[in-house]
Amino acid sequence: MTGTLLSGHRSATLPSASGLPLAAYRTDHVHRCAIRACQREHVTDIDALVAVLEADPDARLRFRTAVAVAHSALFRDAEHLRWIDRNVLPGITAGARRLRVWSAGCTAGEEAYTLAMMLEWHGVLARSEVVGTDILEETLAEAETGVCAGTRIAPQLRTRVSFDQRDLTREPPPATDFDMVLCRRLLPYLTPQARAHAEAALAQALTPGGVVVLGRDETLTSGLEELGLREVQPGAYRKIA
Ligand SMILES: C[S@@+](CC[C@H](N)C(=O)[O-])C[C@H]1O[C@@H](n2cnc3c(N)ncnc32)[C@H](O)[C@@H]1O
């Protein structure tokens, strides 16, 4: 199946039918998603799956969601967030006149809104901006509604958060002056090459002294010196001033 997975026999291929850069994701992950999608959509080969994805927008979204692993929740991994709250935010918020935070891979806004709430607890929300980006325009459209996980986000939080569609494996960061970047549970699904681009974009997004935080038990694989970063805690890296 490997040969046909990314190319296919038809003029349309799985990458074009899904609208995702499948080559950026680990082959074993894409294979698993393709096999499950064939079972789910009751087809027996990739060409038939491509035809279904082209004809059925719901099936296409199911496949895109599976490959991108677009699942999240407000305050997901509360223990890790508590760690960020105690160990990262105090250093970033102390004395800051203006704060910029990026949630890279924010799904339907869950992580971006969570960050806004955490900034409110630190009393800095009114002078903060949170940017949430994701590859899936479908989940970002959901985020834009301001209703997240069935909860209406309060206007004072909603106005501090903006969203932007962006492929972390190919595009530059949304800005280069972020004080904190959170990128949890996205990098492990990428190929080494796509991951290297993504890690460079995360580092590039930081203002000097800014911190990038990965998911629990995740570490950067690129050279820290090359990225201009220094590890300050496991999974948290500061941009060298
Ligand atoms: C497992 S979810 C993690 C969501 C959130 N960070 C959390 O920890 O709850 C991974 C997110 O990354 C997004 N994503 C996957 N590939 C991406 C890419 N190439 N560029 C940007 N976002 C991507 C997915 O759509 C999804 O929302």
Side-chain angles (χ1 to χ4, degrees), residues 41-95:
E41 312 304 342
H42 308 292
V43 295
T44 53
D45 63 42
I46 294 301
D47 284 348
L49 179 62
V50 166
V52 169
L53 299 190
E54 286 185 305
D56 179 350
D58 293 337
R60 183 172 185 269
L61 179 57
R62 284 192 287 274
F63 184 70
R64 284 163 61 77
T65 303
V67 172
V69 199
H71 302 289
S72 190
L74 286 167
F75 292 98
R76 181 183 196 178
D77 197 347
E79 198 185 319
H80 187 235
L81 291 170
R82 261 196 298 277
W83 179 84
I84 293 170
D85 189 60
R86 288 192 196 126
N87 296 286
V88 182
L89 282 181
I92 285 170
T93 55

Side-chain angles (χ1 to χ4, degrees), residues 20-21 24-25 64-65 67-73 76 103-108 110-111 133-136 139 166-170 182-186 189-190:
L20 285 176
Y25 298 91
R64 284 163 61 77
T65 303
V67 172
V69 199
H71 302 289
S72 190
R76 181 183 196 178
S103 165
C106 69
T107 316
E110 293 89 339
E111 194 176 78
T133 65
D134 205 278
I135 195 168
L136 296 185
T139 57
R166 203 163 276 268
D167 178 355
L168 192 63
T169 69
R170 291 195 289 198
L182 197 52
C183 184
R184 301 192 301 166
R185 299 169 62 93
L186 193 174
Y189 297 99
L190 304 177

Side-chain angles (χ1 to χ4, degrees), residues 14 17 28 33 45 55 57 63 71 81 137 143 169 177 217-218 223:
L14 205 47
D28 60 323
C33 292
D45 63 42
F63 184 70
H71 302 289
L81 291 170
E137 62 259 26
T169 69
D177 61 350
D217 300 330
E218 290 180 45

